[in-house]
Amino acid sequence: MRTLISGGTIVTAEGSRIADVLIDGESIVAIREGPELSASNADRTIDARGKLVIPGGIDVHTHMELPFGGTSAKDTFFTGTRAAAFGGTTSIVDFAVQSRGQSLREGLDAWHKKAEGHSVIDYGCHMIMSDVNDDSLKEMDALVGEGVPDFKLFTAYPGVFFSDDGAIFRAMQQSGKNGGMIMMHAENGLAIDVIAADTIAAGVTDPIGHGLARYSSLEGEATNRVIRLAEAAKVPVYIVHLSAKEAMQTVREAREAHLPVYAETCPQYLFLSLDNLGNGFEGSKFVCSPPLRSEDHQPALWDGLASDNLQVVATDHCPFDFHGQKELGRGDFRKIPNGLPGVEDRVDLLHDGGVLTGKITKERWVEICSTSPARLFGMYPKKGVIAVGSDADIVIYNPDATRTISATTHHMDVDYSCYEGREVKGKSEIVMVRGKVIVEGDKFLGHEGDGRFLHRSPAEYARRQL
Ligand code: URP
Ligand code: ZN
Ligand code: ZN
């Protein structure tokens, strides 16, 4: 099957130009500016005049079916990746979980089982390490060889995912030997738990307590601490879901000192705020960790994105229904399952709220949604770019179309939207994964199980000299 995309504006991290793209089977085989590629070469021609032709989005932070707080994130690999596709995302990297007492192998096998035969887009796995010991350290090496070269550790969630500094340092040292990368959830969970207990004792049990107890300074402290640990271990570190200006400052300083420190933020920290947590128990819809911050944190994040001190925007998609799941925390905000839905809205929110407001260029939009994630997580140039030889993961994006975000129309399997009623300009009209159209307008044309496991290489890119 050969498909010609004609007359669109190809946007890559490096620049934009009007050109034709020819796809043969799963790959891009030709890109031509000026004299058009002949439609007679193709089985199908897509007229992309007036549209942007962008590499499919890559969301490197999702949690399909994550067990958390006595329940599980609602989207399966099928429903979650179908929603991702509608939103212009053609690859995800989800977090497999090693629970306490389990091996990494058991955790990873369980994740392969959830994903294989169900994902509609290509998917990879990172590994959450909850138990750092001699065995799991050894297992890390095997996982790197199996295309799972990143490991998330937590300074948060004591008793669940939390690792102490010694455990984190050992995992970092191991990543120095096997080429893997350590991803850090950086909040001082031990101190936060004390403050949260004090907050409850003072009578604040509503979701706002979650935001008030998780001080931004304690995200800054933990971010600085894990950067220092990575510096001592002489390895790169990637800070996930960075939300606070204090954390941004410490990442910026580290990068200015040429340390291989990378960070992502999420749409919720750019477009939502502490105020969303404040409407009685309705605020539970917005409970995630780190928590939504006051609006005065947002300029530092936008500045980070514009200056490449933040390289990635991922969603941390982790949806729980308001009814029956978030409600587990009525009367005690500590029992509200942490996480928000968002995999479907990332590309559009950043186009509407980033590109159209002039905060980032459209080239930077492509870079933070697709190219940098591919580079940092060992997928480039197969993914993350429109180039000859790359997978034909392509989105035909209409920058002028508008839509209103709503739970009544979204495809995520969750009973609310964090952006209910928000109108966004820009929409993915055609979404292709490896040359196959899986979304066209409002129609889903993909198939459960068509997504392939992404066997990713250790990211040499993260180890380069800054
Ligand atoms: O609230 C969140 N972020 N839930 C998902 C787990 C995590 O920490 O990423
Ligand atoms: Zn986290
Ligand atoms: Zn997460």
Side-chain angles (χ1 to χ4, degrees), residues 26-28 122 381-383 385 387 389-394 434-435:
E26 299 193 343
S27 310
I28 297 170
D122 290 350
K382 203 169 162 55
K383 307 286 190 193
V385 64
S390 295
D391 281 357
D393 292 358
I394 296 179
R434 285 181 280 101

Side-chain angles (χ1 to χ4, degrees), residues 271-272 349 352-353 403-406 419-424:
F271 299 111
L272 303 172
L349 283 167
D352 180 72
R403 74 177 177 105
T404 303
I405 300 178
S406 172
Y419 305 97
E420 187 66 42
R422 183 179 173 128
E423 189 169 283
V424 284

Side-chain angles (χ1 to χ4, degrees), residues 61 63 152-154 156-157 184-187 240-241 289-290 316:
H61 193 149
H63 298 283
K152 182 181 178 191
L153 288 96
F154 296 72
Y157 308 133
M184 288 302 315
H185 178 138
E187 288 184 285
V240 297
H241 48 45
S289 293
D316 198 6

